[in-house]
Amino acid sequence: MRLIDLGDEALAGVASRPVRTALTMLGTFIGITTLVITLGVAATAGNQIAGRFDAVSATGITVTVPSNAAGPPLVAWTGLADLLRLNGVHAAASVSEMDSASNPAVRANELHDPDVVSDRALPVVAATAGLPEVVNGSVAQGRFFDAGHVSRHDRVAVLGATAAKLLGITRVDDQPAVFVNGQAFTVIGILGSSGLDLDHALDASVILPYTAAADRLKIGPPTKVLIRTDLGAAPLIARQAPIALSPNDHSQLQVLAPPDPATLRGGVEHDVNGLFVVLGLVSLVVGAIGIANVTLVTVMERIGEIGLRRALGARRRHIAAQFLVESGTVGLIGGVIGTSAGIVAVVVISALNGWTPVLDLSLAAGAPIAGAAVGLLAGLYPALRAARLEPVDALRSGT
């Protein structure tokens, strides 16, 4: 039997029962569609997340400084000078946070009204100048304290947006004061509500120059150092910063550096693929079982036809090849339609989210082949069973 004749016979067998053929290829269609959508959306989402992993996120480093009760501080307030000399450091700031369990009482006036709750237990943070630049923050009103305020031990304060709202302070042009444990500080600025990517807790904090905080509130040495690096310098600075800050005890400092964007993209794709590829494979297995069942039923229905073909000279391999081609054709058609539907779904999902779709050409080419392979494997047993039928028995059973 020539290949063209085999193909004609297989297409005729598939087309003779269109409804059954459509239902048979539904499992393959769903499986291939799920696989294409999974891999396409995973690649697109990974690329999108890595794209959003921009300079702000990829250049922030936090160095946590543990307390050293048995000796001098591990990091001094003046230690930033050595850190800023490193090539690749754009800005840096030291911060000292009080224990959250002992937040001091903060009020906006000295009047004590028993009917009004005026004391707020707010975080109080001591910091060096230039903190907003490091945390990607902005000053909504007034200004942030500078090196002059720090060196003069000025009793000034900058409020986070939430802290200002809790204290009822909405403007700083009239130089309002806040009282922290009874110590007065003049409010010279209010931070904006956006940004603060390295330290979101600053939004609800009272920020003081570290010199005035040490004088009036006995706030100790830095508890962490925030660093903003040039793009691409974060891995190197993460290794060098502890040595620059504390040459003798750098091993005790803990560094939190941003992950590599390529690693982040691969991780997203791996997580999404691992979650949904299993669903696609299950759908393919279900589709394969469906093709096998329908092909086996078709063999039983066409026993008379098989016997007639054998009686006219068709060999076992011809019968097996015909049913294999039929099942493979069903799988191939389901794979082509499923691949097309999956690609359209990936493009639509990307368009709705404003993403740039990422599709692997090998996926588009390989998915229909996978569908055909599923069809061939599913049709293997029915085809062998049809080929083993004896002509006389087949003719007798088909009559």
Side-chain angles (χ1 to χ4, degrees):
M1 181 181 291
R2 296 180 302 172
L3 290 178
I4 188 171
D5 296 329
L6 183 61
D8 290 340
E9 291 291 340
L11 289 176
V14 171
S16 63
R17 300 172 178 82
V19 177
R20 178 183 294 179
T21 299
L23 294 176
T24 303
M25 69 175 62
L26 184 60
T28 307
F29 164 78
I30 294 175
I32 294 297
T33 301
T34 304
L35 282 177
V36 172
I37 292 177
T38 297
L39 299 177
V41 170
T44 301
N47 186 72
Q48 183 68 18
I49 292 177
R52 291 188 177 182
F53 193 75
D54 55 12
V56 172
S57 302
T59 58
I61 297 175
T62 300
V63 180
T64 302
V65 183
S67 60
N68 186 24
L74 297 178
V75 175
W77 287 104
T78 56
L80 285 183
D82 294 330
L83 178 64
L84 292 171
R85 292 193 186 100
L86 296 179
N87 187 24
V89 174
H90 178 71
S94 295
V95 174
S96 181
E97 300 172 330
M98 298 183 67
D99 186 1
S100 59
S102 59
N103 286 336
V106 181
R107 62 170 54 237
N109 56 67
E110 291 185 295
L111 299 178
H112 293 270
D113 187 346
D115 296 329
V116 178
V117 179
S118 56
D119 287 343
R120 301 286 184 178
L122 297 177
V124 175
V125 175
T128 55
L131 181 63
E133 182 182 7
V134 182
V135 299
N136 192 37
S138 60
V139 180
Q141 291 193 44
R143 55 174 298 189
F144 201 82
F145 53 81
D146 55 25
H149 293 100
V150 174
S151 62
R152 294 190 301 269
H153 295 230
D154 288 345
R155 296 165 60 180
V156 295
V158 176
L159 304 179
T162 301
K165 184 181 300 184
L166 291 174
L167 294 172
I169 296 176
T170 59
R171 49 190 300 180
V172 298
D173 53 354
D174 54 352
Q175 296 185 335
V178 292
F179 295 85
V180 181
N181 281 350
Q183 299 292 328
F185 294 87
T186 302
V187 179
I188 62 172
I190 299 175
L191 295 179
S193 57
S194 60
L196 307 179
D197 58 281
L198 280 181
D199 196 340
H200 297 285
L202 294 176
D203 183 64
S205 301
V206 178
I207 308 169
L208 309 174
Y210 72 88
T211 50
D215 294 341
R216 301 292 175 175
L217 302 176
K218 307 303 179 184
I219 293 182
T223 56
K224 63 182 177 182
V225 178
L226 307 177
I227 307 170
R228 180 70 61 194
T229 70
D230 296 333
L231 188 61
L236 177 62
I237 299 303
R239 295 191 298 268
Q240 295 178 344
I243 300 175
L245 291 170
S246 183
N248 297 326
D249 301 295
H250 58 86
S251 60
Q252 299 187 44
L253 305 185
Q254 300 176 356
V255 181
L256 178 61
D260 181 69
T263 303
L264 178 64
R265 182 188 294 111
V268 171
E269 292 185 13
H270 179 270
D271 293 341
V272 176
N273 287 344
L275 180 63
F276 290 104
V277 165
V278 175
L279 299 179
L281 294 177
V282 170
S283 300
L284 281 179
V285 171
V286 173
I289 295 174
I291 292 176
N293 287 334
V294 173
T295 305
L296 187 59
V297 171
T298 302
V299 169
M300 302 306 296
E301 290 179 348
R302 296 164 63 182
I303 288 180
E305 176 190 337
I306 295 172
L308 180 59
R309 288 178 182 276
R310 291 294 309 279
L312 293 176
R315 298 185 178 183
R316 294 181 187 273
R317 66 173 182 271
H318 298 149
I319 301 300
Q322 178 180 346
F323 282 97
L324 279 175
V325 172
E326 287 185 13
S327 60
T329 301
V330 171
L332 178 62
I333 296 174
V336 171
I337 299 176
T339 301
S340 302
I343 292 175
V344 171
V346 171
V347 173
V348 171
I349 292 173
S350 301
L352 292 177
N353 290 277
W355 299 347
T356 301
V358 178
L359 291 169
D360 191 351
L361 293 179
S362 61
L363 173 63
I369 298 176
V374 169
L376 288 173
L377 291 175
L380 184 61
Y381 172 72
L384 294 176
R385 181 167 179 175
R388 285 197 296 264
L389 290 174
E390 294 294 336
V392 175
D393 295 336
L395 289 172
R396 185 183 299 116
S397 299
T399 57

